[in-house]
Amino acid sequence: MSSPIDSADQSPALETAHATQVGNDPKDKKPTVLETHGYFLGKSIGTGSYATVRVRHLRKKNRCFCEIFLRFQMAHSERHEGNVAIKIVSKFSAPADYLKKFLPREIEVVKGLRHPNLIRFLQAIETTHRVYIIMEFAENGSLLDIIRKDQHIDEIRSRKWFKQLTYAIEYCHDRGVVHRDIKCENMLMDDSWNIKLSDFGFARGHMKPKNGQPILSETFCGSYAYASPEILRGIPYQPQFADVWSMGVVLFAMVFGRLPFDDSNYKELIKQVSSKVVFPKDPKVSSGCKSLINKILAPLKSRIRLSGIKMDQWFLFEEGQAGSSKDRKSISSVTDEERRLSVDADSLVPPNLITKEELEAKARPRGARRDSTDEEQPVGTQNPFDEAEQSDKGNSSGKSKKPPSKKES
């Protein structure tokens, strides 16, 4: 199976040297697997112990490269001509659960998604040494970068970006996809300063309710500071509602420039997520925005759904219109009784929450000679256009797919 991923088992300098110094005579140069697909290494834009993301440039100067690239459709190349981002995953050093579980899921999920506020998957390439995921490149960094630079984000921009996040998540949920790792770091900015939700490494597909019965998730993943109470308590949960909780954390972080919960101590974190949201005195934030945050960061039974968020007055507010009397109502619509823990926080045991940091800690040491690309050979490629054609053929064959169970990990 050709499955794209985001890690590199070599340094940028080493791979660049390999790409440019194969021989003294230009005729002796052997193109790398990526070069044969028209991708040429650029600057590093992010690193991890098992992952490196780099910018590459699509070039069509050489006819051979053009012909190979055209196998994936000219419309695709015309639309994304310029910089792309590539996740490079080392098969030798990436953790086993990432390679066997999360990476295949990520590829399966992202190749079917098309939304203006989602980073677009372009192609997946697998070789004997690594897997590459080629995707749209977001030029202006992440939402976290903006918060750090500006200290907090005004409500005009916060509303715009929160709307874009809401529409992106609604699109995913309508297609049975849950993200499970929504956070400021994963919200990127394109050249027009629009949100592009990225990193579907913990995402899961086929999660639409069956016969009215929700499919529960038993994989506790994401980031502690953005995790819903049900995840933190380690009970099977509906990931759609956990995504909504994470959206509330993002909204709080935008308007206040800080996270609402301290994740340094598990017991304290449990108490905080089960208590009334505490809003800082500064910066000044409207009561309407605080009210929406309260509705989102609420117990599961009373937590607002995406449909309710879209009908919220702060969400619908247009600049220049007069505030209504409803905007000045009590900030909290959730009672203290609803928020109260049913069990003592001291008796709870932290769940085995899978985080990106934990996966990085599990990365395997690189063995001797495994940082070279000299022997790297292509295994296969995937792109959304080929997959669509294969899907159409599969649907016409009359074969039915086995439905997922009521509980998914």
Side-chain angles (χ1 to χ4, degrees):
M1 173 182 177
S2 79
S3 48
I5 175 173
D6 77 8
S7 175
D9 45 31
Q10 68 203 14
S11 67
L14 182 101
E15 187 166 6
T16 303
H18 171 72
T20 58
Q21 297 179 358
V22 175
N24 293 328
D25 189 334
K27 294 181 181 180
D28 294 335
K29 178 184 175 183
K30 179 182 177 182
T32 65
V33 172
L34 285 171
E35 287 175 343
T36 63
H37 287 278
Y39 302 113
F40 294 82
L41 275 176
K43 65 179 181 179
S44 176
I45 57 176
T47 60
S49 62
Y50 66 87
T52 293
V53 185
R54 293 185 187 156
V55 181
R56 296 179 186 261
H57 192 76
L58 302 179
R59 296 181 183 175
K60 300 191 293 181
K61 294 179 181 179
N62 186 300
R63 188 178 63 177
C64 178
F65 291 163
C66 182
E67 290 173 353
I68 294 176
F69 184 70
L70 285 177
R71 287 190 317 176
F72 307 109
Q73 301 216 1
M74 174 66 78
H76 169 74
S77 67
E78 289 293 329
R79 185 175 301 173
H80 295 279
E81 187 174 20
N83 288 334
V84 297
I86 300 187
K87 282 187 176 182
I88 309 170
V89 182
S90 166
K91 291 183 176 180
F92 297 129
S93 58
D97 6 347
Y98 183 77
L99 288 174
K100 295 178 181 178
K101 182 178 182 179
F102 293 110
L103 178 62
R105 285 181 180 178
E106 179 180 5
I107 302 310
E108 182 63 29
V109 163
V110 299
K111 68 185 180 184
L113 298 178
R114 297 286 183 280
H115 190 274
N117 298 118
L118 297 177
I119 284 290
R120 187 173 181 184
F121 165 75
L122 303 176
Q123 186 183 359
I125 302 172
E126 183 179 12
T127 72
T128 51
H129 290 49
R130 56 188 64 80
V131 186
Y132 303 92
I133 302 177
I134 295 91
M135 67 198 77
E136 178 183 5
F137 174 58
E139 309 235 350
N140 286 314
S142 72
L143 177 62
L144 181 62
D145 296 330
I146 297 175
I147 294 174
R148 285 173 172 168
K149 177 178 177 291
D150 295 350
Q151 296 188 326
H152 71 276
I153 298 172
D154 59 84
E155 288 189 46
I156 295 176
R157 287 185 296 165
S158 293
R159 182 182 290 107
K160 170 190 172 181
W161 292 335
F162 185 73
K163 280 185 176 182
Q164 292 177 345
L165 174 62
T166 299
Y167 295 138
I169 293 301
E170 180 184 47
Y171 171 88
C172 292
H173 288 184
D174 285 347
R175 284 153 183 78
V177 173
V178 291
H179 190 280
R180 302 198 296 187
D181 197 21
I182 298 169
K183 55 184 178 181
C184 296
E185 298 94 311
N186 289 339
M187 294 170 61
L188 306 182
M189 295 286 170
D190 68 9
D191 57 356
S192 298
W193 299 99
N194 292 308
I195 285 292
K196 294 282 187 175
L197 183 62
S198 69
D199 199 344
F200 282 74
F202 286 147
R204 190 79 173 90
H206 309 293
M207 295 299 286
K208 294 188 79 168
K210 300 293 182 180
N211 300 319
Q213 294 297 314
I215 300 175
L216 302 181
S217 179
E218 294 180 331
T219 295
F220 307 103
C221 54
S223 302
Y224 278 97
Y226 293 82
S228 66
E230 54 269 26
I231 290 178
L232 293 174
R233 293 172 191 169
I235 59 177
Y237 64 98
Q238 289 181 252
Q240 293 88 345
F241 301 152
D243 277 352
V244 170
W245 175 280
S246 300
M247 290 169 57
V249 176
V250 167
L251 179 56
F252 186 107
M254 283 196 288
V255 295
F256 288 106
R258 69 195 78 176
L259 292 170
F261 310 116
D262 180 5
D263 62 353
S264 61
N265 182 283
Y266 171 73
K267 291 180 181 178
E268 286 303 313
L269 178 59
I270 280 288
K271 290 178 181 178
Q272 289 177 23
V273 300
S274 304
S275 303
K276 196 181 214 178
V277 180
V278 178
F279 296 108
K281 290 183 179 180
D282 293 305
K284 301 300 181 185
V285 174
S286 71
S287 61
C289 183
K290 292 178 182 177
S291 176
L292 178 55
I293 292 172
N294 256 322
K295 294 174 188 175
I296 298 174
L297 300 181
L300 181 59
K301 289 183 180 179
S302 54
R303 189 177 309 156
I304 194 171
R305 307 317 192 212
L306 283 175
S307 57
I309 291 175
K310 290 170 58 184
M311 296 299 293
D312 182 83
Q313 288 192 327
W314 182 84
F315 186 92
L316 294 172
F317 183 80
E318 298 292 340
E319 299 310 315
Q321 78 180 40
S324 70
S325 59
K326 293 181 181 178
D327 292 334
R328 296 187 286 272
K329 285 189 175 181
S330 173
I331 291 174
S332 178
S333 60
V334 183
T335 66
D336 291 340
E337 182 64 29
E338 289 176 303
R339 291 185 181 276
R340 191 167 295 131
L341 267 176
S342 58
V343 294
D344 185 358
D346 292 337
S347 67
L348 292 174
V349 178
N352 182 26
L353 188 69
I354 303 173
T355 65
K356 291 289 167 56
E357 291 77 14
E358 180 184 328
L359 286 178
E360 289 182 0
K362 290 181 179 178
R364 293 166 287 180
R366 299 168 184 168
R369 295 181 54 81
R370 283 181 172 174
D371 59 351
S372 171
T373 60
D374 290 348
E375 296 82 25
E376 184 176 34
Q377 298 296 324
V379 173
T381 63
Q382 289 185 21
N383 68 52
F385 305 100
D386 289 345
E387 292 296 329
E389 292 176 2
Q390 292 172 7
S391 176
D392 290 340
K393 293 177 181 178
N395 291 337
S396 63
S397 67
K399 294 181 180 179
S400 60
K401 295 182 179 179
K402 182 180 178 181
S405 62
K406 291 299 171 80
K407 286 188 178 180
E408 297 284 353
S409 61

